[in-house]
Amino acid sequence: MVYQNGSSIRRWVHDTDLKSNPTKIKSEGSRFTILHAGCSTGFLDGCNNFLNSKNNDRDYHETMDGTNFQNWVVNQLIPALGKLNQKCVVVLDTVSYHSYPPSNNLETRPTLGLPCARGAAAHQSPKTFHHNGTTTHPKTVANSLILARKYQLRQLSHDERTTPEGYIHEHYSPKSARKLPKSRSVDEEAPRRCPDGTDLESLSPRSPVPPVPRAPPRTKLKFSPPPESAADRADKGSEGATRVSTDSTETVECVRARGNMFRGGMKLKERFILGASVAAVLFTFLLVVDIQMDLGMSGHHRLVPSHGRVKYVQEDAAGSAYNSFRKRFLQKTHSASSTNASKESLPIEPAPNTLKDLSEKPASPGKEAKEKHDDFGDLMDYIMLDSAEREKHRVEIDRVHPVIQKSPGWESLKVVGNPTIGELRKIAVRENSTVLEKFHLQISQHELYPADSELVDLLIHEMATEPIVHVSQKTGGTQLKLVIDYPNSLQALFKPMRFPREQQTLPNHFYFTDFERHNAEIAAFHLDRLLGFRRAMPVTGRLLNMTTELYQKAEGDLLKTFFVSPSDNLCFHGKCTYYCDTSHAICGTPDSLEGSFAAFLPSNEIAARKVWRHPWRRSYHKRRKAQWETEDNYCSLVREIPPYDQGRRLYDLMDMAVLDFLMGNMDRHHYETFRLFGNDTFPLHLDHGRGFGRPFHDELSILAPILQCCMLRQSTLQTLMAFHNGPTKLGEALSQSLAKDPVAPVLWEPHLEALDRRVEIILRGIRDCLQKGEDLGSETGDEDT
Ligand SMILES: Nc1ncnc2c1ncn2[C@@H]1O[C@H](COP(=O)(O)OP(=O)(O)OP(=O)(O)O)[C@@H](O)[C@H]1O
Ligand SMILES: [Mn+2]
């Protein structure tokens, strides 16, 4: 069936088309049913039959019925087959109108259309598919190729109707979806006979067809989780193929026995080969489609063959410091996490009247906090060792690389050999250079700004207070972002507030379907600075007057998307790949709107950026796992590949993992560096909108780089230890830093508490790495941790 305007419910979405909005098709238009026959050389001439549907209620039986089908067979198919001048096998599925007149009684139904084409399918029990969530329509279970294919298409299209944002665009009955087309076990019991009851054997005086080898009946096939592997699919496919060949064989026999329309002298072997090759071609097609659709959201990575076989995580895999830490961690915090889980179960916490109320509440996990403070003295001792002693320790524990590393000399490089953009581009700071220009020119190979930078505060102040002169939409990325122009070429990237601070990640949302939070962008900048990374552009919050500062400064397409909501709030939705429609509009109260303003990065002319795929990127597919989740020694693979094989980059990824773990950001798919600094430069910390979503849950998998590689930059470890041992804990420090922001309090209190808890978890992970080394003597094949 084809819909005039495409179907809003059933759609094939190509990988490259994933960003388009499947809900866009509002009206499907007329529906056409196309009847055709094809073979290895293409569609048969004169076999096309286009039926304009009588209704649009998705039940095509109003249009397509036994009469139409028989007319088509008699008037089009048979003459077309005749013209071929060779013997043919016709493969059909088991829908009711292939037998005429239609009858629900499968056993007694006369088969006037194509007498024997139904094969043994009629003996199987009916199966229920759900259409459109409302009607239930009984069909026979697929045992022919075409129905087997239909089944798989449904399975695929269900997956792919899920946008990268995870929304499913059709009501889909998981019950029916999870049922596999029944295996041949039913057929095997059924006598080999034609559907009208005639015994096939009795019809055929010749020796019976030799049994076709079949795949052994599958005991159980899993769908999700764990994800269906390529091997599963291959199995399933071969099963389908076998079934088809069997059916075709039976069909051929019936046809021959009756001397019916397909009388001919084609050898049985040829027929079998023909049937099997048709099945193989279709199966290959299905597999290709499956692979294409399941590719990630973007591009390929040298580490990951795009359609590489998905392996399952082996919990006890050798070399998996990450898994062992996770196990130990989960054991230790089992009781604590159950209380957290209950807090999490509410999508939105009953918000306290004000955030102040909340901070006055006694801290809930007090009991644990009162436990003896672990100062991680052992880690401190390790830090104190000189390199010779560390080397000794390293040899003692048979480790191939040090856990904690003074970064290869880059701290000293910061002073010497740390060129700035201004120096490399030979652009001097002028008297009348703007603050943002000055900021851009001082960005250096190793950091965005020095610890004592005055420009950062100036920049933040300007972005928060300067008048807005122009507003336009930023292209790129998936969410709505605005480019804000101020006087003196100051520019900022604006992300609007969409949800209240207390809004948590919805329990059933994936990280890639999580909300974007403007306050996370602000807090991430402050956190990055506190941790001494200085790899995030300065961000400030600001309360806008939507009428005067957005609406009046916007133009063109953006302007057209402004409207007044039923509650008289001013709203707009802009144009973007997702969430840019009326139902995802950004609304003021009535026209004040909060947002984050990030200082704009230097233009491409001054400092172009290179985009890198993050080696520990998640799969962005709800059932697929990424390679790092399944590969025992993933880190050693990464270590071999430039730029991770030398210099600072791998240590920088560990830092990024620290930052992301602290704020619970799982959305680190790519990162960017400035090209002009080469490879030995820092990755920019950009895009933190999905951080700070689950304050009661600590997502250990974000620490995978650190725990799999067992490495951390020493300066980062020292910073974490300093926050852990006080006097000022990280949560407190962040709270103080954020207090100056115009939209303070920026974070909901539980996020600040989470920070201190997470600092300790990182330290425990590092300790685990060091200690695990000592256990190595008793374990085999674990040298790499
Ligand atoms: N401060 C900035 N100044 C200029 N460009 C920026 C800035 N921050 C980000 N960008 C650019 O805009 C792109 C999109 O930004 P960002 O990743 O924050 O948005 P997003 O909608 O979350 O994107 P995605 O959906 O790809 O995660 C970035 O890849 C980056 O190249
Ligand atoms: Mn993003």
Side-chain angles (χ1 to χ4, degrees), residues 474 477-479 481 493 495 599-601 609 669 672 687:
K474 166 104 173 69
T478 49
Q479 310 265 333
K481 296 170 289 290
L493 189 69
K495 294 194 180 182
F600 225 71
L601 287 160
R609 300 187 300 279
H669 40 93
E672 300 179 23
D687 190 12

Side-chain angles (χ1 to χ4, degrees), residues 564-615:
V564 176
S565 77
S567 23
D568 280 345
N569 293 323
L570 182 56
C571 307
F572 74 107
H573 55 69
K575 290 208 162 155
C576 62
T577 353
Y578 290 108
Y579 308 130
C580 285
D581 51 41
T582 317
S583 54
H584 294 100
I586 295 143
C587 297
T589 43
D591 69 346
S592 335
L593 176 70
E594 222 180 87
S596 67
F597 293 72
F600 225 71
L601 287 160
S603 68
N604 274 344
E605 290 73 53
I606 293 190
R609 300 187 300 279
K610 182 175 165 101
V611 180
W612 305 76
R613 199 178 151 127
H614 197 299

Side-chain angles (χ1 to χ4, degrees), residues 663-692:
M663 62 176 157
N665 176 27
M666 299 170 78
D667 192 28
R668 192 65 81 178
H669 40 93
H670 292 82
Y671 66 88
E672 300 179 23
T673 58
F674 289 113
R675 277 182 190 276
L676 80 175
F677 294 135
N679 276 358
D680 205 30
T681 187
F682 65 96
L684 282 157
H685 291 170
L686 295 177
D687 190 12
H688 305 115
R690 291 197 166 120
F692 296 104

Side-chain angles (χ1 to χ4, degrees), residues 3 5 259 621 675 727 783:
Y3 286 88
N5 303 330
H621 183 287
R675 277 182 190 276
E783 303 87 2

Side-chain angles (χ1 to χ4, degrees), residues 733-761:
L734 186 61
S735 168
Q736 284 173 16
S737 183
L738 289 172
K740 292 172 221 136
D741 192 89
V743 301
V746 173
L747 283 182
W748 188 32
E749 191 71 24
H751 291 294
L752 297 169
E753 287 163 15
L755 285 176
D756 300 332
R757 193 174 69 227
R758 290 171 188 166
V759 166
E760 187 172 342
I761 293 171

